[in-house]
Amino acid sequence: MEELQELRRYHDALPGAAPESIGAARSRLASHIHGNRRPRARRIRAVWGLSLTGAAAAALLAVAMTVVPGVTREAPDVPRDEGVEVPHARPSAAVTELRLRPVASARDLAGNAAVLASDEPEWSAGPTQWGYVKTLRAQTRVDGREWLRGEPAVTNTREQWRQLNDKAFATVEKGKLKIFKGSEFEVTYPYLLALPTDADQLLARIYETIDTENARNRASDLRSTQERAESRGKTPEEAKRLAEKSVPPLTRVQRDRWAFQLIAMGMGDAALPPRLRAAMYGAMAEIQGVRYEAKSSDLLKRRGITLYHVLDGYLRDEIFIDPKTYEYLGYRTIVVKDHKDGPFGTMKKGEIHNWDALIKVAVVDEAGQRPR
């Protein structure tokens, strides 16, 4: 198998070989090893590898089919006249392994996620279907308690359904499903699903969103601050100077943190196409200050790898990722250095401000429907 080892060794310096090219090379090598005997034909059965966010594609290909993360299901035998196209077989695990690189950085992680996502079926969920997300959340001061330190004493499980056009959402309250009109989410499905699946273009769109939103908010804050100053007897010029001093522009580090958070919020609250999720990892990898960590454990004690960003050396935002499937596992914000937080007191090293884990995600046909 020296030829395959050479292919692996020089993979990073060469363009990625197509799966059919690698398959042909394997056949030639096997034929040579076995004295040019013609290899026996193998019948390849079409399968769907359903990843955490690849669930949406399969939900559309089979009526009422639901998805659980990490499950691989074979495509059903569907007659052609039913109008359902059975997807082509995915490359073998050996071929995929040759296309993956050792992970030592955020960019390596994003590259491998893109390789795996490229083997997934196209995602074509309809706007009236529902994204199902089940999460586990640790209780912290956000829920009226003290900031969490160490393992949480209390956790809450939450199920939610969001229509992909974000015209309705649903939750379970006291055992009963409640459906609400509109959306309560900062990052909407229409926005997410319109994002490019190219990492650089996606990041540019994210920064454009942040800059537009910040400009609008800052203009409003400047106006109200200046009006208050003028009501206290300041001249318009003095009031303007005071307003600009009290409402400074967004710093580069703050802008980068907002970009990281915006992407993370999109992954945590939605069922997404695998190619989009991989592009999100790629965009995160290009944000200045984002780092990779090889070992981590999430809220459910699942082994993971981490992408993180530290704001001004004291506040670390991080996402957890499955090291084999590259599925999104969860999010945490933790204080890594004591920090004076203005009138709000001092943030203490070790305080956990947010911590949640993604349990299940799928696209379903109606609110209240759960993955089996």
Side-chain angles (χ1 to χ4, degrees):
M1 303 296 287
E2 291 180 3
E3 289 89 342
L4 297 180
Q5 294 299 326
E6 288 299 307
L7 178 59
R8 182 192 298 273
R9 185 179 308 165
Y10 293 106
H11 171 268
D12 289 345
L14 296 173
E20 56 268 27
S21 300
I22 297 176
R26 284 181 178 277
S27 297
R28 291 195 299 273
L29 178 59
S31 178
H32 175 74
I33 292 174
H34 295 292
N36 294 320
R37 289 178 297 175
R38 184 174 180 177
R40 294 175 60 187
R42 290 171 48 195
R43 182 170 178 263
I44 300 177
R45 302 180 66 187
V47 297
W48 289 320
L50 303 181
S51 66
L52 195 65
T53 53
L60 294 165
L61 296 174
V63 176
M65 180 177 181
T66 53
V67 182
V68 178
V71 173
T72 300
R73 297 186 181 181
E74 294 183 355
D77 295 326
V78 180
R80 288 290 179 180
D81 59 6
E82 289 188 17
V84 179
E85 182 179 351
V86 178
H88 297 294
R90 295 174 63 191
S92 68
V95 171
T96 299
E97 173 65 20
L98 285 171
R99 296 162 61 200
L100 300 179
R101 66 179 66 187
V103 177
S105 69
R107 288 179 178 175
D108 292 337
L109 183 155
N112 284 357
V115 167
L116 294 181
S118 68
D119 294 335
E120 294 287 343
E122 289 294 332
W123 200 85
S124 55
T128 59
Q129 288 186 283
W130 297 74
Y132 169 83
V133 177
K134 183 177 182 180
T135 56
L136 182 72
R137 184 177 181 86
Q139 280 193 353
T140 71
R141 187 169 164 183
V142 173
D143 303 305
R145 289 168 169 75
E146 295 300 317
W147 291 127
L148 175 64
R149 303 182 70 88
E151 295 297 319
V154 180
T155 57
N156 296 314
T157 301
R158 183 187 183 193
E159 292 179 292
Q160 65 184 28
W161 292 260
R162 294 169 61 189
Q163 207 163 22
L164 299 188
N165 55 20
D166 259 319
K167 291 185 177 180
F169 67 97
T171 60
V172 175
E173 297 180 10
K174 297 181 179 180
K176 293 184 178 181
L177 180 72
K178 289 194 173 185
I179 301 177
F180 305 89
K181 292 184 178 180
S183 175
E184 63 172 5
F185 299 90
E186 293 184 58
V187 188
T188 66
Y189 265 122
Y191 175 82
L192 287 168
L193 298 179
L195 288 172
T197 53
D198 174 85
D200 291 336
Q201 294 176 16
L202 189 151
L203 184 58
R205 184 78 57 81
I206 293 292
Y207 278 130
E208 179 184 345
T209 300
I210 289 169
D211 292 341
T212 300
E213 184 70 15
N214 178 66
R216 180 167 52 248
N217 291 339
R218 186 166 185 264
S220 176
D221 291 342
L222 285 171
R223 186 167 54 253
S224 59
T225 302
Q226 185 171 344
E227 288 173 354
R228 287 197 301 270
E230 289 180 6
S231 69
R232 293 171 184 153
K234 300 294 183 182
T235 66
E237 293 76 14
E238 291 174 326
K240 184 178 179 180
R241 284 197 299 271
L242 288 171
E244 290 176 347
K245 184 177 180 181
S246 62
V247 188
L250 200 65
T251 67
R252 180 191 57 77
V253 175
Q254 289 171 331
R255 184 172 180 260
D256 290 340
R257 188 202 186 206
W258 280 23
F260 188 94
Q261 287 184 328
L262 181 57
I263 297 171
M265 282 192 293
M267 284 191 283
D269 287 331
L272 299 174
R275 289 174 177 82
L276 178 56
R277 181 190 60 198
M280 287 175 159
Y281 294 155
M284 280 183 163
E286 296 302 320
I287 296 173
Q288 189 166 344
V290 169
R291 298 290 182 266
Y292 160 81
E293 192 169 278
K295 293 182 180 180
S296 65
S297 178
D298 77 345
L299 185 55
L300 287 169
K301 299 188 183 301
R302 296 174 294 193
R303 178 177 172 269
I305 51 182
T306 306
L307 292 182
Y308 68 92
H309 177 270
V310 180
L311 174 67
D312 292 338
Y314 73 92
L315 195 60
R316 169 167 159 155
D317 292 307
E318 55 190 6
I319 63 167
F320 303 104
I321 301 165
D322 186 291
K324 294 182 179 179
T325 65
Y326 296 93
E327 295 165 355
Y328 171 88
L329 297 179
Y331 179 85
R332 181 170 66 176
T333 300
I334 184 169
V335 181
V336 293
K337 185 178 74 173
D338 289 354
H339 175 74
K340 183 66 175 177
D341 191 26
F344 303 106
T346 301
M347 293 186 184
K348 295 290 187 180
K349 181 178 179 179
E351 291 176 350
I352 298 173
H353 289 201
N354 297 284
W355 198 4
D356 60 51
L358 187 61
I359 301 173
K360 291 182 182 179
V361 65
V363 169
V364 295
D365 292 327
E366 58 185 24
Q369 184 179 355
R370 293 182 175 91
R372 288 193 291 242

